[in-house]
Amino acid sequence: MVGDCHGNPLRPTRWVLGIFLIIILSACGTNTTPQATIAPTIVVTNTPLSPVPTGLPTENSTTTTQNFVIWFPESLAPSDRTEIAELLNEQLNGFVAEHDQPINIEFRLRRYAETGGILPTLRTANKVAPNGLPDITLVRRDDLPTLVQEGLALPLEGHLSSSIIGDLFPPALQSGRVQNQLYAIPYLVDIQLLAYYGDEEQPSIWTFDNIIRAEAFWNFPAGRTTGLNTTVFLQYLASGGTLSNDETLNFNAEALRTVLAYYERARELNLIDETMLNFVSSNDYVRSFTSGDLRAGVMNSTLFLTELANETPLQASPIPSDVTDTPTLMNGWVWVVTAKNADHQAIAFNFIDWMMDNTRQADYAQLVNMLPSQRGSLNSLPLSNELLTLFDNLLTNAVLMPSDNNTGAVARAIQSAFTGVISGNLTADEAVESVESQFEGE
């Protein structure tokens, strides 16, 4: 599974060229002879420190010439995945060769949220050293509104290929918008789903009724320190709950009653109890799942695809609800342009077009076990027709996490009601009445 480098100390090192191409590309200089393509020159900096084994420069790498600067999260190019380094080299070299004018590319791997990482450095440099910003970078979709508010992300409307915009799954396109203005292009996404082993006694279609009939056990991150857990949130939406235009969660008594009635019955059958609240992330039970002790559980698509790549015999389904087409949550990495001059902005727009080519996007998504944001790229993945259909449906009908799901009053009240039901302190009807009394007349 693609992992973070959280907690690892920063190490000031420069890449020494080994058997892999370095991803600091240069195609500058004078050349009076016309050529069909511009061949990149590899810039190598020697140092007595140990080389990075992937061929990717770390965040403290330097080059003698700076021109077009790309910051890229280390978590998407982990040091033990040399094949990712090779693919990035191939794609970046291809962009340089196809570009109309000679350019330098400085490609820097950086941690993301930690001190010195992409996110805090963007916000700090924008205030004190704007010339130190990259020209383009990947950021988490959750952080986009803040970057837009601070004037870091350029509007992209009208600057990118219409074929890319038209091929994006609608929720993915929406994830790049802030206040109806396009500021980012989603690149790699992940979604929530139910993964299971397909045992004979398990339901073939995971609805509330089928689960109760089969008395099937499944796990999900039921706990939450604030707000509402994502599984119950999605089940509430599937049962008729809605979001307001400002992304706040509306109260719907019948939708909540449908969800809580299932959990009341599941508790009576010993399929759930308050110990499920100990799980706040699928990481809390992933070892039990991968070992086969747990036969069904909610996880994100990245973990699911990683297990498939490891030949774990898993199947997938939408998260269980009272219907068969439960929506899913979408999150992921988006391209934002931060270039300060028109020339670099034009290169950035061309770079997005290049990286979003269906084949190139699919090749990279496959290596990092994430889903591409475009339908054409998804169809290029080497997956079964069944999985492609499932992912297409989920990506088409995905929702984005509402801004108030952590702190909104309705979200908190529903989580409290759910907790009361699975702990046996409240019946489903009592729990609904408790929430209803708080929002009566709204």
Side-chain angles (χ1 to χ4, degrees):
M1 186 175 97
V2 176
D4 281 330
C5 298
H6 295 309
N8 293 337
L10 300 178
R11 54 185 189 280
T13 179
R14 298 174 180 172
W15 170 241
V16 180
L17 186 63
I19 61 173
F20 304 107
L21 294 180
I22 189 170
I23 302 186
I24 298 180
L25 308 176
S26 175
C28 62
T30 59
N31 187 350
T32 58
T33 303
Q35 296 181 348
T37 59
I38 301 168
T41 301
I42 306 304
V43 178
V44 182
T45 304
N46 290 316
T47 172
L49 298 178
S50 301
V52 179
T54 61
L56 297 176
T58 65
E59 56 194 287
N60 291 308
S61 300
T62 60
T63 59
T64 57
T65 302
Q66 291 189 8
N67 193 348
F68 186 73
V69 181
I70 303 168
W71 287 359
F72 201 83
E74 281 190 348
S75 60
L76 294 180
S79 59
D80 60 344
R81 299 288 305 279
T82 56
E83 69 275 24
I84 295 178
E86 292 170 347
L87 180 61
L88 280 170
N89 270 295
E90 176 187 330
Q91 294 187 351
L92 290 172
N93 273 290
F95 176 70
V96 171
E98 291 292 326
H99 202 264
D100 291 339
Q101 300 295 326
I103 59 172
N104 295 332
I105 289 183
E106 182 181 333
F107 185 95
R108 293 196 175 197
L109 284 178
R110 301 185 74 115
R111 293 172 176 84
Y112 184 66
E114 303 94 321
T115 302
I118 289 175
L119 183 62
T121 305
L122 282 175
R123 302 182 67 184
T124 301
N126 190 46
K127 299 173 183 176
V128 300
N131 290 335
L133 291 171
D135 294 301
I136 190 171
T137 186
L138 283 171
V139 300
R140 294 295 291 176
R141 183 263 166 188
D142 292 347
D143 298 315
L144 180 61
T146 298
L147 298 181
V148 170
Q149 184 178 14
E150 296 184 3
L152 275 159
L154 264 64
L156 302 181
E157 210 82 56
H159 292 295
L160 301 174
S161 167
S162 59
S163 62
I164 290 175
I165 301 299
D167 198 29
L168 289 169
F169 288 98
L173 178 60
Q174 184 60 32
S175 74
R177 296 189 182 279
V178 176
Q179 297 180 345
N180 291 324
Q181 174 76 296
L182 186 65
Y183 285 98
I185 291 296
Y187 181 49
L188 302 169
V189 300
D190 53 45
I191 56 177
Q192 299 291 303
L193 51 78
L194 178 75
Y196 61 98
Y197 282 90
D199 303 326
E200 289 185 4
E201 65 272 17
Q202 290 179 334
S204 57
I205 300 176
W206 289 75
T207 61
F208 287 161
D209 288 342
N210 289 344
I211 292 171
I212 294 300
R213 190 175 297 113
E215 297 189 15
F217 177 81
W218 59 289
N219 213 337
F220 65 97
R224 189 81 176 194
T225 55
T226 59
L228 176 60
N229 74 74
T230 57
T231 298
V232 172
F233 166 71
L234 291 170
Q235 292 168 334
Y236 179 70
L237 293 184
S239 300
T242 58
L243 294 169
S244 300
N245 291 334
D246 62 357
E247 294 189 343
T248 57
L249 197 60
N250 296 320
F251 174 64
N252 182 314
E254 288 309 308
L256 183 57
R257 183 172 285 105
T258 297
V259 175
L260 296 185
Y262 159 73
Y263 284 109
E264 181 178 31
R265 183 67 178 130
R267 184 184 182 279
E268 292 170 352
L269 295 172
N270 295 318
L271 300 178
I272 193 171
D273 59 32
E274 65 271 18
T275 61
M276 192 81 80
L277 297 170
N278 295 329
F279 301 119
V280 295
S281 165
S282 58
N283 291 330
D284 294 332
Y285 53 77
V286 66
R287 288 187 178 180
S288 295
F289 191 87
T290 55
S291 69
D293 292 335
L294 176 64
R295 308 301 291 176
V298 170
M299 62 178 59
N300 66 39
S301 54
T302 299
L303 178 55
F304 173 78
L305 290 171
T306 300
E307 289 305 312
L308 277 192
N310 292 333
E311 300 185 352
T312 307
L314 293 181
Q315 300 180 39
S317 166
I319 288 175
S321 73
D322 67 323
V323 296
T324 58
D325 55 352
T326 312
T328 187
L329 279 175
M330 176 184 289
N331 207 338
W333 295 95
V334 300
W335 289 112
V336 294
V337 176
T338 52
K340 296 299 184 183
N341 66 65
D343 289 341
H344 285 207
Q345 290 167 13
I347 296 172
F349 302 144
N350 289 336
F351 181 75
I352 292 175
D353 282 346
W354 176 265
M355 296 298 285
M356 296 293 287
D357 168 80
N358 282 160
T359 299
R360 280 185 282 273
Q361 187 186 29
D363 287 347
Y364 196 81
Q366 181 185 355
L367 277 187
V368 296
N369 295 316
M370 295 193 72
L371 293 172
S373 57
Q374 298 178 100
R375 183 170 277 107
S377 301
L378 175 68
N379 291 333
S380 298
L381 294 178
L383 298 173
S384 68
N385 290 336
E386 182 181 11
L387 271 182
L388 287 175
T389 299
L390 173 66
F391 286 142
D392 188 283
N393 289 337
L394 289 174
L395 290 168
T396 299
N397 299 298
V399 296
L400 307 176
M401 179 65 78
S403 56
D404 83 325
N405 206 58
N406 287 336
T407 58
V410 173
R412 292 197 307 269
I414 292 176
Q415 178 71 16
S416 179
F418 162 74
T419 299
V421 170
I422 67 168
S423 63
N425 295 328
L426 295 171
T427 66
D429 286 338
E430 289 170 343
V432 171
E433 289 172 5
S434 173
V435 178
E436 193 169 25
S437 66
Q438 300 175 52
F439 301 101
E440 196 168 18
E442 292 190 7

